[in-house]
Amino acid sequence: MSSTFGCPHCGHSNAVEAAFCGGCGTNLQEIDAALLPADDLFPVKKKGAESGESTPPPADPAPPAEPTALTEPTAPEAPPADPAVPKASPPPPAPDAPDRAKPAPDADRVPLPMLLSRFQQEWRGAVPPLPEEALQDLAKRAVQQPPSPERMDDEERRRLRNLINEDIPLLDLPQRPANTQSAAQGGELPRQPWIGWLVVVSLLAVLLLGDAPATVTVHAWPGVEEAHTAINQLSPESVALINWAYDPATAGEMDLVALPVMEHLIRSQSRLVVISQLPGGPATARRLMARAGQQISPQERAAFFDSNLVEGGFLPGGASVLALLGQDPATGLPVDAQGSQTDGRLAITRLEQAPPALTLVFAAQAEGVQRWLEQVQPLNRTPVIAVVSGAADPALRPYLESGQLAGLVSGYSGGLAYEQRNARNLSRAEERLHQQRSAARNWLLWLVILLALLGNLAAHSTERGWGGWRP
Amino acid sequence: MMGYSSGLPFGWDLAGMLIGYLFSLILFSFLLRESFLVRLGLYLLVGVSLGYAAVLAWHDVLLPRLFRPLFTAEWGTLGAGPWASPLWQLLAPALLGLLIWLAGARLMLRGQIALPGPVDRLLAWLTPLPLGLMVGTGVGTALAGSIQGTLLPQALAATDLATPAGNGVLAAVALIITTGALLYLRLPAAGALGLPWPVAWLVRIWAWIGQRGLWLAAGILFGQLILSRTTLLVERLLYFIHALPNSGLWMWLAALWGGGG
């Protein structure tokens, strides 16, 4: 049995070493010890430990009974292994009594060294280790902290929550002094909701009222030109395989990168086989291709959708299936829902004899491209172009430098640079959108830099005892 | 109708846009406070995503690739044409999938339904097999892939002076930072070796450089992440600004208003 304490958000009983609440997912590392009463930080010790003995392991390895909220599991303790050893302490309180209902005396607490050891051993690697002095200071203050009226409010809320068995919004709680205390130690800063408001409102103002630049200057990183050249060299009869590794969650950025590349691919008149390992991938691909189709002539559009496009569909199975795709694409690629011999199926089957002339990976995460480069490309040796979000760029650039990637188009600026190479005349609405995006991004980046500087200044001032900085 | 479109009539497209707009606003209301509506939006998002994935797995994978050929083909071979499948190629994954399903059911129903002892023991023995197969295959594939797709090509490129990655200065800096990061991460072990003080001093400086390299890399990754999320936020706000005016909703309202007037 492990010691438990109640989550301050939902009351769920969690193990002391738990990083997140098992009931509501609250980050328990953020709990400030100063707010918790002493029995939360130092749960009631077991009987065996109380008498100086180690607690024997439970005889039955079956899962424990459902613990009641805010209490220890109520299974009776095993008798001491050696009855000759006298008990040095008085009998413990009844095991079924809630921990919070009675103030635990100091003698009933887990020894501090044991707690520190547990913190250091079990949280190592997951969080930066806390210095022992800080923990000891934290423990002293927690013991001295008297119960506050806010604490009583929390208890009442929990009782009410148990009664009606539903979640009650707790966000109207007064801001806890916990974070301030923690900030005084140089730890986390209190959450500032006004920052979110400042970002959103100022961005809306820039988008609606701002003076957008007349021309957008684009810095093209290496890889864009190479990608454009590789697609230019596709012959009308060749097959290009597309791995669609993003879904609507990241489509806001990825569509901006993928759209000009897809327009270029459609104009190349090569056959495209589109597969995705994400459930939402095929639908996202369909939507973007429909958008790209609106930018080309009706004849080109008809030729593409009627004969040049093969929807491979959803391909579950992760990296294992990708390896199969590199060895035997006809077996690895999914079939259409009817399992019939469609044109698309034949095109996929032909990949077995002749690998695709080019592979494109549209991915929001670097792992999507890395998995392809690790599992498929070493087997079929097909040139790969990565079309990725800005966040994936640093992890993938070494693959471009080593020649494993034939091209790399990343982030909004990469998409914009590619669009300029397409040399398509933009409509006034599209130009206006580009200008708005650029103005908003520039503003937001300056704002982020400013906030980061101010945040660091605030953290340093509180850490050095300058009184802190709060708006 | 164009091959790739939603395939829905105009009114349904508009309804979908309005629902998306409404739920986007609901999720953005988290800026005000967490409320029942925010949670409803989150639950719906997760539930719809899971439901869609389940339907897609059935429609695109299980039905056409397993059940239909399994129940319609002749014994001996299944399917037709160049992709004919022997029976075991379908029965084996079906059996393994069933075992995974039974493992989940056994776990969920533990303590609620008491299975007969021999059945429970048989399941306890059999159900780890497909899980072990999956995990083992995944780990083996990932390990082999990382060696053949990342480790070897990157090492070869770093030592090839003809490639940009193998360029003298860049390669030297990369080598120093990489080994320094390795030393920094393993410094406690290196310190325990009892090295003579000049070597220990050199190792410490090298590890110090590696630590700064790690900081630099983390900063670059974080900066790119900020750029990426910035674009996402701007796009969502542009959606709020432009989606309704461009939706055609106003034409409907104008038509209704004109008809009513």
Side-chain angles (χ1 to χ4, degrees):
Chain A
M1 286 192 300
S2 63
S3 300
T4 63
F5 76 109
C7 169
H9 183 254
C10 69
H12 184 82
S13 185
N14 295 290
V16 156
E17 63 271 18
F20 295 93
C21 174
C24 66
T26 296
N27 188 347
L28 298 176
Q29 299 169 30
E30 294 180 356
I31 297 170
D32 185 57
L35 184 68
L36 296 175
D39 54 347
D40 270 353
L41 188 62
F42 301 101
V44 177
K45 206 173 66 170
K46 305 293 175 294
K47 290 177 185 177
E50 201 171 58
S51 56
E53 305 155 3
S54 62
T55 307
D60 185 4
E66 276 294 314
T68 54
L70 312 178
T71 63
E72 292 283 339
T74 56
E77 297 291 329
D82 184 3
V85 177
K87 283 198 167 187
S89 59
D96 55 349
D99 289 352
R100 293 171 185 278
K102 55 186 184 304
D106 289 346
D108 283 342
R109 299 193 172 109
V110 175
L112 184 60
M114 187 186 298
L115 186 69
L116 293 175
S117 170
R118 192 178 300 160
F119 267 92
Q120 289 182 337
Q121 287 176 8
E122 300 190 10
W123 289 20
R124 182 175 295 165
V127 293
L130 285 173
E132 290 197 10
E133 302 79 28
L135 270 178
Q136 286 169 350
D137 182 51
L138 207 61
K140 281 179 194 167
R141 288 192 297 108
V143 172
Q144 293 162 0
Q145 181 79 17
S148 66
E150 287 173 10
R151 193 73 201 163
M152 300 305 292
D153 288 342
D154 288 354
E155 289 294 334
E156 288 173 4
R157 283 174 184 277
R158 285 192 196 105
R159 287 196 198 99
L160 190 60
R161 189 205 308 276
N162 289 335
L163 279 177
I164 63 176
N165 196 22
E166 66 176 11
D167 286 333
I168 297 175
L170 293 177
L171 291 187
D172 54 349
L173 278 176
Q175 190 170 16
R176 295 179 295 175
N179 290 333
T180 313
Q181 294 286 343
S182 179
Q185 291 190 337
E188 60 172 321
L189 287 171
R191 181 171 176 248
Q192 303 283 1
W194 61 269
I195 293 178
W197 277 107
L198 175 68
V199 169
V200 171
V201 171
S202 63
L203 259 186
L204 278 175
V206 168
L207 288 173
L208 291 172
L209 312 170
D211 187 19
T215 56
V216 178
T217 309
V218 180
H219 176 73
W221 289 89
V224 176
E225 185 63 46
E226 290 86 341
H228 197 268
T229 306
I231 294 179
N232 261 343
Q233 290 170 350
L234 281 176
S235 65
E237 293 302 318
S238 56
V239 175
L241 185 60
I242 297 178
N243 179 24
W244 206 276
Y246 77 88
D247 59 10
T250 47
E253 180 192 12
M254 281 303 301
D255 280 358
L256 296 175
V257 196
L259 190 61
V261 180
M262 187 53 69
E263 283 178 27
H264 193 196
L265 277 171
I266 292 175
R267 285 207 176 89
S268 73
Q269 297 182 355
S270 54
R271 300 198 76 180
L272 304 183
V273 180
V274 184
I275 60 161
S276 178
Q277 291 206 290
L278 298 175
T284 313
R286 228 173 278 141
R287 195 175 52 83
L288 187 91
M289 287 183 185
R291 279 180 63 191
Q294 291 168 3
Q295 311 299 334
I296 57 178
S297 68
Q299 292 80 14
E300 285 177 317
R301 188 163 57 225
F304 173 69
F305 286 114
D306 290 345
S307 56
N308 282 345
L309 179 61
V310 179
E311 189 180 9
F314 176 46
L315 182 66
S320 310
V321 173
L322 284 183
L324 179 63
L325 201 58
Q327 291 174 334
D328 185 4
T331 306
L333 283 172
V335 295
D336 60 311
Q338 284 72 39
S340 57
Q341 188 172 335
T342 61
D343 284 347
R345 184 67 197 167
L346 285 176
I348 292 171
T349 310
R350 278 204 298 269
L351 290 177
E352 202 167 9
Q353 287 85 37
L358 188 65
T359 298
L360 293 102
V361 184
F362 292 78
Q365 313 288 338
E367 288 79 12
V369 181
Q370 282 172 324
R371 285 207 303 191
W372 190 276
L373 292 175
E374 290 176 350
Q375 302 295 340
V376 184
Q377 202 216 17
L379 300 176
N380 66 10
R381 299 288 172 192
T382 305
V384 178
I385 290 176
V387 182
V388 297
S389 71
D393 182 282
L396 294 178
R397 204 145 283 278
Y399 292 95
L400 183 72
E401 302 281 338
S402 68
Q404 290 173 274
L405 280 178
L408 176 61
V409 186
S410 64
Y412 172 60
S413 56
L416 209 56
Y418 200 97
E419 191 175 63
Q420 289 183 349
R421 277 163 180 73
N422 278 347
R424 179 173 66 83
N425 290 327
L426 299 178
S427 66
R428 283 189 65 82
E430 286 175 316
E431 281 183 359
R432 172 70 183 157
L433 266 179
H434 280 323
Q435 291 163 358
Q436 281 183 314
R437 282 189 194 111
S438 296
R441 274 167 50 95
N442 289 342
W443 161 252
L444 195 50
L445 288 178
W446 280 114
L447 191 62
V448 167
I449 291 171
L450 182 68
L451 288 172
L453 286 175
L454 287 178
N456 275 289
L457 185 65
H460 278 289
S461 67
T462 48
E463 190 177 3
R464 290 168 183 266
W466 297 344
W469 175 82
R470 288 178 65 87
Chain B
M1 181 163 292
M2 197 165 60
Y4 264 168
S5 72
S6 68
L8 298 172
F10 171 71
W12 283 101
D13 268 344
L14 183 62
M17 194 279 297
L18 286 177
I19 291 172
Y21 202 96
L22 179 68
F23 275 96
S24 297
L25 281 176
I26 284 176
L27 291 179
F28 255 71
S29 72
F30 182 76
L31 279 176
L32 287 173
R33 56 177 289 168
E34 186 185 3
S35 65
F36 167 75
L37 283 178
V38 175
R39 291 190 181 196
L40 178 70
L42 288 173
Y43 294 158
L44 272 175
L45 187 67
V46 173
V48 168
S49 302
L50 288 178
Y52 182 73
V55 169
L56 202 66
W58 171 260
H59 190 265
D60 278 20
V61 182
L62 291 177
L63 186 63
R65 306 204 75 182
L66 179 62
F67 290 112
R68 185 172 286 138
L70 195 60
F71 291 120
T72 58
E74 297 175 358
W75 290 98
T77 59
L78 290 168
W83 50 91
S85 305
L87 182 63
W88 65 268
Q89 285 191 7
L90 294 174
L91 281 180
L95 184 63
L96 292 173
L98 181 67
L99 283 176
I100 290 181
W101 186 84
L102 285 175
R106 181 169 171 267
L107 204 64
M108 288 173 63
L109 299 177
R110 174 178 285 178
Q112 298 178 25
I113 295 178
L115 292 171
V119 176
D120 194 54
R121 281 195 293 276
L122 184 66
L123 283 180
W125 188 81
L126 279 178
T127 51
L129 291 179
L131 297 174
L133 190 65
M134 277 177 58
V135 173
T137 307
V139 170
T141 308
L143 186 65
S146 62
I147 291 173
Q148 71 181 2
T150 295
L151 197 60
L152 281 181
Q154 289 296 312
L156 290 175
T159 53
D160 183 2
L161 297 181
T163 65
N167 175 279
V169 177
L170 188 64
V173 170
L175 181 68
I176 289 171
I177 291 180
T178 306
T179 47
L182 190 66
L183 280 174
Y184 168 69
L185 295 173
R186 302 298 304 164
L187 191 57
L193 291 177
L195 298 169
W197 72 265
V199 181
W201 182 78
L202 183 67
V203 166
R204 283 181 190 279
I205 290 183
W206 208 327
W208 184 88
I209 294 174
Q211 187 188 26
R212 268 65 189 170
L214 284 175
W215 289 354
L216 186 69
I220 291 171
L221 286 174
F222 186 66
Q224 285 292 117
L225 188 66
I226 292 266
L227 267 176
S228 179
R229 297 303 178 257
T230 299
T231 308
L232 270 180
L233 179 61
V234 170
E235 281 309 297
R236 195 46 26 182
L237 292 180
L238 281 172
Y239 168 79
F240 282 132
I241 293 172
H242 293 295
L244 272 184
N246 296 341
S247 66
L249 180 67
W250 311 117
M251 288 189 295
W252 279 58
L253 291 177
L256 286 175
W257 183 265

